[in-house]
Each structure stands twice: as structure tokens, then as C-alpha cells.
Amino acid sequence: MRIDRRRGRLAIALPALAGLSLLAGGLMLLPNDREILHAERRAQPVPTTSSLLVAPVAPPVVPPAHPAIAAQIATADAAALAALTAQLITAGQSVSTMQVAYDLVAAKRPAVALDYLAARPDGGAAATWRLRVDLLRQTGRTADASTLVTQAAQKRGSVPAADIVAAAYAIDRPDLVIAAAANHVIPPPDAALSLDLARRADKAGRNDLIALLDTATTANWRAADPWLAIRVAARAKDTAAGLKAADYLPVEQRPAAREAILTTAGDREGLRTELLARAAAPDAQPEREAERLLASGYRADAAAVLRRAATGQPPSAPAAQRVLYLMGPRPESDDLAWLKQQSLQGNAAQQRAWLARYAERDRPGEALAFVSRHPLASQTDVMLMRLSLARTASNDAAGRAVLALLLDGRALDPAQVAALSAAAPARIEPAQAAAIAKRRVASGVAAPRDQIDLAWTAWNAGDAKGAAKWLHAHLETDPTDLPALRLMADVQARIGGDRAARPWLDRALAQTPAESKARVEILEKLGRRADALSLVETLRAETPHDRSLAALHARLLIAQGQAGRARTVLAQ
């Protein structure tokens, strides 16, 4: 009976001990808190550079894996794990598909995790969508990942917007973010996301995506990166959009950008309008803007800008100098009209300066007519201008008329006298020529022959004393001038007779070549007829056909009373 009682106690105690043993073994297999935390961290998806634009989606917080599952995570295949999960759930155990999937990820078995999700009835739920995309990417099935994201981007569903954005960036398909926004699957991208999407679309050369992005958001990414907007507009050949984008640039960069946009677009008229508007701005620098017009091929517009800037300014002003250079030596009619207008503005000095610039550029005859009608026509400098124009136009009559006015007691400085001499008509009266020479001598700008010319003028006019005065002045600077010495001898002979002339003849003889006709003539005047006759015979022997020597020879023979011989010489 005691034996039966003992057997009954054992029948109760042994199952209890076995149960306790199994429970202790199961507890030993359960992961501790540190192991669970480590598994959760390893299950986190690794963010990529592009996915940093959105907040990463953390895995759900799940309870520790069931011991039976945990024991097989490292080795079992997807089908076995799916079957075990189903059994445990049926038995009322706390097991979830997400928990097992993340444990597989932590165990570095992404392919098994993907197959496990496919084998589970809730593996395709929205909660696993982000994980499935990451698993497809990790296993190299990028196309399938793209298909999954593309489907989510087409129609609004239960997938969170942040997951769609992060997944699209993770698989390097930012275009799917734009598509999702355009389909109202995700909220409109903010400024930062829009800018990044636009930059990526530009890098890919996808203007269509940028156009789609513009329909999906009102964020002004162009203001954040105007140069990006300008590039996009240039590729789309949208000049207006490029110019609008240029307005977002710093003020100092806008002109060059707008000019480059129009130049690249080949919009010649737009570029011209832009440059002209810039030149017309209140704070414009005309010379610089004119150079831009000139460099772009708008020479006439550049000249117009410079003319406008130079109006009312003296010719020495920078704008005036530049426009005069552009006009060249023979301007067009509108330039000539502008020069005439300038010559009628400002003070007298400024008018004369512009008048001179005009006179240099118009045809001499027309310039002479205009200058002669100018309000300053009677001023000395303007009269000299008229005199020069008359000479250039070969209008001697007009030149002589102006010359007569200039020589009629008008005070002239040395520079004006020199200018008068240079501009005098080619054919003038002897009295005017003498008056010019006298002015030159008096002003200290005499030409080398002025005094000798005045001496001849006085001699021819019968003014021996006047001739002597000019000759004395001339010979002081040129004492060996043979023609001047001979003329002085003639002048002195008229004033004081042969005695007065003789010293001058001696000086002239000293300057005369030994064998020359001039020496014969001087010897004759000195009364040395024999020497003169001998020399002339020598000269005739050398040049027997010189008729002037024959006449001189005959005259000397007649003076010696040899008329018959003289006739013979002349008859030869």
C-alpha cells in the first residue's frame, strides 16, 4: 500500500519536474535585454546620402522573439519560419510577422526575410512596405524595388509619404518623388526638397520632370538657385523664363546674366533692347554701355548713346572723344547734323572747338558754307578756319576775301600768323603776299626767304631804301647769300652810286664760283671788263651753244668797241 502511495506521488511529481525543466530551458533560450537592443539596432535600415533629405523611418517596437522562432532565425528557410509563425499564432503565442522579418534582417539574411514576407499573409501590408523596398534594394533587385515605389507613387494609399520619399531616394529615383507629388500621393515638396529635386532633374537633363515638379508645388526653388533656373530655361529654349530667373540674382550679376541669356538664345532684337534699356538707366555709364553695344554689333546704337551723353559737353569729354572716333573722318549725314548742332551750343570756346571738329569731317565746300554762316564767323580763329577750308576747296576767291579781312589791321599772334600763312590761297596779289611776309617777320615766325622777298618787292616798287632795310636784316643772319649781296649792290648803286655799290660787289664776287656767268656779270660791274671778257670766252668754249653767254659776250665786245666781232658772235 505504501508502494502504491509512493508510485502515485511520483506520477504527480515527475511531470511537474519535467515541466519545470522545460520551462528553465526555455527561459535560458530567451534573449536578454542587451541582445534585444542589439537586434533592433541591426534591423534599422542604413540611410544613404540622398535619403538624408527626409527623416529616417525607424522599425516598429516589437516584443522579443518567441524562443522557438529565435532558435531557428539563423538557419531555417522562409517557408519553415512562416509555418512556425502560423503555428505559434494559432497557439495564441505573441508572435508577429514584422518581428520575425526584422530578426532576419538583424541576422543578415535579407533574402530570407524577403521570401518570409512573401510567404506570410500580412507580409504585403503597408506596415512592411518600407522594409520590403529596402530588402529588394539590399538583394540587388532594384527593378522590383522601383516597381514597388512606382506603384505607391501612382495612387494615394496607406504608405506614409515619408516612406515613399525615403524609398525613392534610397533607390536613386527622385523622379518618383516628383510623380508622387504630382499625383497628390504625398504633400507638395517644400523649398528644400523642391530645390534638391530640381537639381537632380537638371543633372539628368530631364526638363520634363522639372515641368512636372512645377505643377506639383508652389515652392520657389528658382529663387534659391537662380543659375539652376537659368540653365533649365536655356535647355528648354525659354528665354522669358531665363530672364525672370536672372532677376533673383544679386543686382551686380543681373546685367551680365541677362546679356548671356539673350546672346545664347540668339535673340538679337531682345539683346539690343536690353542693352539700350541699360544705357538709358539714370545711373548708366554711357561709355561702358556703348562699348557693350559696339561689341554686340550695334555700332549705330552705340554712337547714338554716346551722342546723347556728349550733347552739351566739350569735345574733350570722354563720351565726345569716343563718338568722334566712331564717326571717323567721313561721318554719315546724321552725325554731321549733330556736329553742327553741337557747334551752336555752349560758350564761344566750346562752339569753336566743336566747329573745328565739324570742319575736319565735312566736305570742304559745304563746311566752308556752314562756317561762313556761323555766329562766330567773324572771330579770328573761325576766319582762319574759313581760310583753310577755302584753300582745301580750291576756292581762291573766298580765300582772298577772308585774307583781306584778316590783314586789315587785325591783331594776330605768332601762331595765328603761321596758320594764316599756311592757309593762304595759292594765287594771291603781291601786296597780300608782302603783307603776310611782313606779319611773319614782325611775329618772329618768318620763313628763310621772307626778308629777301620783301626786299625784291620794295625794289620792284622803286623803294630802294625799303629794299636796303630788308636786305640789311637778311644779311645779318645770312651774310654769304649771293643773290642778296648782288641785289644789295644794285640797291646801293641806286642810292649812293658806284662807290656805294662796290663793297657789296666785292663781297658778292667772293661768294661767286670761279667759272660762272654770275662772276662775269660782277666783274663787268666792277669795271674789270678784260677779266670778264676772258672768263666769258672760257665759258663759251665749254658751252658754245649757250645763247645767254653769247649775248653777254657780245655786250662785253660792244662795250670795248668791237661791234663787228660782236655781230659775229651773235651770228654763230
Side-chain angles (χ1 to χ4, degrees):
M1 209 161 159
R2 259 186 268 170
I3 293 172
D4 292 339
R5 194 179 295 119
R6 186 179 299 168
R7 286 179 179 172
R9 288 175 184 163
L10 288 173
I12 295 172
L14 285 174
L17 289 171
L20 288 172
S21 299
L22 289 173
L23 180 59
L27 290 172
M28 292 178 66
L29 292 174
L30 285 175
N32 57 34
D33 292 342
R34 180 177 296 177
E35 290 173 330
I36 292 172
L37 180 61
H38 183 62
E40 286 178 350
R41 286 177 177 173
R42 286 190 297 164
Q44 292 275 0
V46 179
T48 62
T49 301
S50 59
S51 67
L52 292 176
L53 287 171
V54 295
V57 178
V61 179
V62 293
H66 191 279
I69 296 292
Q72 301 189 45
I73 280 294
T75 57
D77 59 20
L81 289 171
L84 182 57
T85 302
Q87 292 173 8
L88 292 172
I89 292 174
T90 302
Q93 299 296 317
S94 178
V95 178
S96 71
T97 300
M98 286 291 291
Q99 176 190 31
V100 177
Y102 275 111
D103 284 341
L104 287 168
V105 172
K108 298 184 178 179
R109 301 184 71 192
V112 177
L114 197 58
D115 292 341
Y116 171 77
L117 289 173
R120 291 290 299 148
D122 60 345
T128 67
W129 184 89
R130 171 71 181 278
L131 177 59
R132 279 181 286 143
V133 174
D134 287 342
L135 291 172
L136 287 169
R137 180 177 58 81
Q138 291 177 32
T139 55
R141 295 169 60 183
T142 307
D144 293 334
S146 295
T147 300
L148 202 59
V149 180
T150 300
Q151 291 171 350
Q154 295 301 315
K155 186 176 180 181
R156 181 178 295 176
S158 56
V159 179
D163 284 359
I164 295 175
V165 175
Y169 270 96
I171 61 175
D172 198 21
R173 288 290 305 276
D175 58 297
L176 295 177
V177 179
I178 297 175
N183 293 328
H184 307 291
V185 174
I186 65 173
D190 60 14
L193 181 57
S194 295
L195 177 59
D196 186 75
L197 292 171
R199 284 173 174 168
R200 291 171 182 267
D202 172 63
K203 186 177 181 180
R206 295 285 304 274
N207 273 31
D208 58 318
L209 290 179
I210 292 177
L212 187 61
L213 175 63
D214 287 339
T215 66
T217 182
T218 58
N220 191 1
W221 57 267
R222 289 175 173 82
D225 192 345
W227 288 112
L228 169 63
I230 290 171
R231 286 198 306 274
V232 170
R235 191 165 53 245
K237 301 187 185 308
D238 189 345
T239 305
L243 294 175
K244 184 177 179 181
D247 290 338
Y248 294 119
L249 291 168
V251 175
E252 66 275 7
Q253 296 181 16
R254 292 175 192 172
R258 293 178 66 86
E259 186 176 340
I261 290 167
L262 292 166
T263 302
T264 303
D267 187 354
R268 296 284 299 166
E269 188 58 33
L271 177 61
R272 177 175 177 267
T273 301
E274 171 73 18
L275 294 175
L276 287 175
R278 194 187 306 170
D283 58 345
Q285 298 180 19
E287 295 85 355
R288 185 183 67 182
E289 302 306 334
E291 291 303 322
R292 296 304 311 141
L293 283 163
L294 192 62
S296 300
Y298 304 109
R299 186 182 183 88
D301 290 318
V305 169
L306 289 170
R307 284 199 302 266
R308 187 168 62 247
T311 297
Q313 299 293 319
S316 58
Q321 290 183 340
R322 188 60 176 140
V323 76
L324 288 170
Y325 176 82
L326 288 181
M327 286 182 185
R330 288 292 175 263
E332 299 294 333
S333 58
D334 57 338
D335 289 328
L336 291 172
W338 182 80
L339 287 171
K340 290 179 180 179
Q341 183 182 21
Q342 288 298 105
S343 74
L344 297 171
Q345 299 179 13
N347 56 36
Q350 185 169 316
Q351 289 186 34
R352 285 195 302 270
W354 277 114
L355 199 58
R357 302 307 189 278
Y358 158 74
E360 294 169 352
R361 288 165 172 79
D362 203 354
R363 287 178 291 185
E366 297 184 7
L368 175 61
F370 176 78
V371 175
S372 298
R373 297 192 303 269
H374 194 276
L376 303 179
S378 61
Q379 290 192 359
T380 300
D381 287 341
V382 179
M383 292 186 72
L384 289 169
M385 195 185 305
R386 292 165 57 191
L387 186 66
S388 178
L389 288 169
R391 182 183 178 93
T392 306
S394 300
N395 190 341
D396 286 349
R400 285 192 293 269
V402 175
L403 186 61
L405 294 173
L406 286 168
L407 296 175
D408 189 18
R410 186 182 295 258
L412 300 173
D413 61 35
Q416 291 172 331
V417 171
L420 181 148
S421 300
R427 294 185 297 273
I428 58 176
E429 299 173 358
Q432 287 183 324
I436 294 173
K438 288 178 181 179
R439 287 290 187 111
R440 284 200 297 261
V441 172
S443 300
V445 292
R449 302 297 301 176
D450 274 348
Q451 291 171 322
I452 191 67
D453 289 342
L454 289 170
W456 276 110
T457 300
W459 174 254
N460 292 332
D463 183 6
K465 290 183 178 180
K469 182 188 70 172
W470 292 116
L471 286 169
H472 275 299
H474 174 72
L475 289 170
E476 284 180 359
T477 58
D478 190 2
T480 61
D481 185 354
L482 179 59
L485 290 170
R486 294 186 63 183
L487 179 58
M488 179 62 92
D490 292 341
V491 168
Q492 293 300 325
R494 179 173 295 182
I495 296 173
D498 292 343
R499 178 187 288 278
R502 189 171 188 86
W504 297 102
L505 289 173
D506 288 336
R507 287 177 61 180
L509 185 63
Q511 302 301 323
T512 306
E515 295 184 355
S516 64
K517 181 183 175 183
R519 191 172 186 83
V520 173
E521 293 173 343
I522 294 173
L523 287 171
E524 181 188 10
K525 289 182 178 180
L526 286 170
R528 297 167 57 182
R529 292 186 176 87
D531 292 337
L533 185 59
S534 175
L535 180 56
V536 78
E537 288 174 349
T538 300
L539 294 174
R540 289 208 62 214
E542 295 174 355
T543 53
H545 301 296
D546 188 331
R547 300 306 299 171
S548 64
L549 282 176
L552 179 57
H553 189 188
R555 190 175 70 245
L556 290 171
L557 289 171
I558 292 172
Q560 289 187 340
Q562 301 180 45
R565 189 179 170 190
R567 283 193 296 271
T568 301
V569 169
L570 293 173
Q572 291 177 349

